[in-house]
Amino acid sequence: MSGRFITIEGGEGAGKSTAQAYIAKKLEQSGHSVVCTREPGGTPLAEAIRHTLLNLEGEAPIEMAELLLVFAARAQHLAKVIEPALEKGQWVICDRFTDATFAYQGAARGLPLEAISKLERLVQGERRPHAVVLMDLSPEIGMARARARGALDRFEQEDIAFYDRVRAGYLSRAKALPAQYSIVDASQRLDAVRQDLSQLIDDWLSHD
Ligand code: TMP
C-alpha cells in the first residue's frame, strides 16, 4: 500500500483538529497506518519555532522573518516526519501545510506569492499534498469559536479583515487547484461535516 499526504486547512475555529481525528480514525479502521501531525510543528525543533511564531511575549517577527521561520519548521518536519512516513507507506494527515503560508503570509500579510512559490520549490522539491481539505467558515463564526476556546495566540489577535483575506486566499487557491482541493462547509452540524468527510475518504480509498 502506498502512503498518501493529506492536509487540512482553514481559518481559526473551523474544526480542523476534529476533522483530522475523524479522518485518521476512519483510515485506521480501513487498515491503513496513519501519522497525525501539524504545522508549524511536528518535531521538537519545529515545535520550538511554532512557539516563537505564536507567542505574544518578546519581539514579534517581521513578515519576512515569519515566512522564513514557517519554512524552516517545514524543512525539518518534512525531513524528520513526513517523508519517512510516506516512504513507509503510511498516510500522513497534517493540520496545515504550505497552503496556509499562501493564505496567511501571502494573501493576508501581503508577501509576494512568487516568493512563497520559490521557497516551496526550494524546501519541498516536488512534494505537494495529494489532497487538501479546506474547512471553510466565515471568520465571524470562526473567531467566536476560537475566543470561546480561551487565550488567543498572536495570529488569533488579528482583526476580522485579516481573516477575510485568509479565507479569500484559501478560496482562490481552491479555485486554481480544483483537483487537489475539497471544500467542506464547516458551518454545518458536526454529523453533516462528518458525512462530507466520509465521502472524501471513500473517494481517496477508491483510488488507493
Ligand atoms: P493552528 O493553531 O490553527 O494550528 O495554526 C497556527 C497558526 O499558524 C495559525 O494562526 C496559522 C499560522 N500559520 C501561518 O501563518 N503560516 C503557515 O504556513 C502555517 C502552517 C501556519
Side-chain angles (χ1 to χ4, degrees):
M1 283 197 284
S2 58
R4 214 79 78 81
F5 182 31
I6 311 288
T7 64
I8 306 173
E9 298 285 356
E12 318 302 314
K16 290 182 289 99
S17 312
T18 311
Q20 183 185 39
Y22 183 74
I23 292 169
K25 192 182 83 184
K26 286 278 175 187
L27 289 171
E28 274 163 359
Q29 281 169 355
S30 62
H32 292 85
S33 174
V34 176
V35 173
C36 280
T37 187
R38 69 173 179 181
E39 289 218 345
T43 83
L45 175 58
E47 289 289 332
I49 295 172
R50 178 190 180 89
H51 179 76
T52 299
L53 283 166
L54 298 192
N55 94 88
L56 291 160
E57 286 127 45
E59 181 185 358
I62 63 159
E63 287 157 2
M64 185 55 77
E66 184 178 278
L67 174 66
L68 295 172
L69 284 167
V70 158
F71 269 107
R74 183 161 299 139
Q76 195 74 12
H77 190 210
L78 273 165
K80 298 278 183 180
V81 175
I82 298 174
E83 295 295 353
L86 293 173
E87 264 162 41
K88 278 191 264 174
Q90 294 176 299
W91 284 59
V92 176
I93 317 298
C94 193
D95 182 340
R96 296 195 188 281
F97 195 63
T98 307
D99 293 84
T101 315
F102 281 102
Y104 282 76
Q105 281 67 47
R109 295 259 193 251
L111 289 171
L113 300 183
E114 312 84 75
I116 301 174
S117 294
K118 276 189 190 154
L119 287 166
E120 181 184 42
R121 273 195 298 281
L122 177 70
V123 169
Q124 297 168 218
E126 297 300 308
R127 175 63 65 202
R128 301 288 179 278
H130 295 106
V132 180
V133 179
L134 174 58
M135 304 296 292
D136 183 53
L137 186 66
S138 89
E140 283 79 8
I141 303 174
M143 287 313 292
R145 286 188 191 167
R147 266 186 230 109
R149 264 192 323 229
L152 301 180
D153 65 34
R154 197 168 61 82
F155 286 97
E156 290 166 342
Q157 303 234 337
E158 295 289 345
D159 58 17
I160 289 286
F162 179 89
Y163 279 100
D164 283 336
R165 295 195 297 278
V166 168
R167 187 185 197 190
Y170 275 130
L171 290 173
S172 94
R173 282 211 36 101
K175 210 169 170 191
L177 300 165
Q180 198 185 32
Y181 262 82
S182 300
I183 303 178
V184 173
D185 175 358
S187 70
Q188 301 176 97
R189 288 162 47 108
L190 188 57
D191 54 348
V193 169
R194 284 196 179 137
Q195 217 173 334
D196 287 357
L197 294 174
S198 285
Q199 254 171 33
L200 289 179
I201 296 162
D202 289 347
D203 190 42
W204 299 334
L205 293 176
S206 71
H207 294 103
D208 203 15

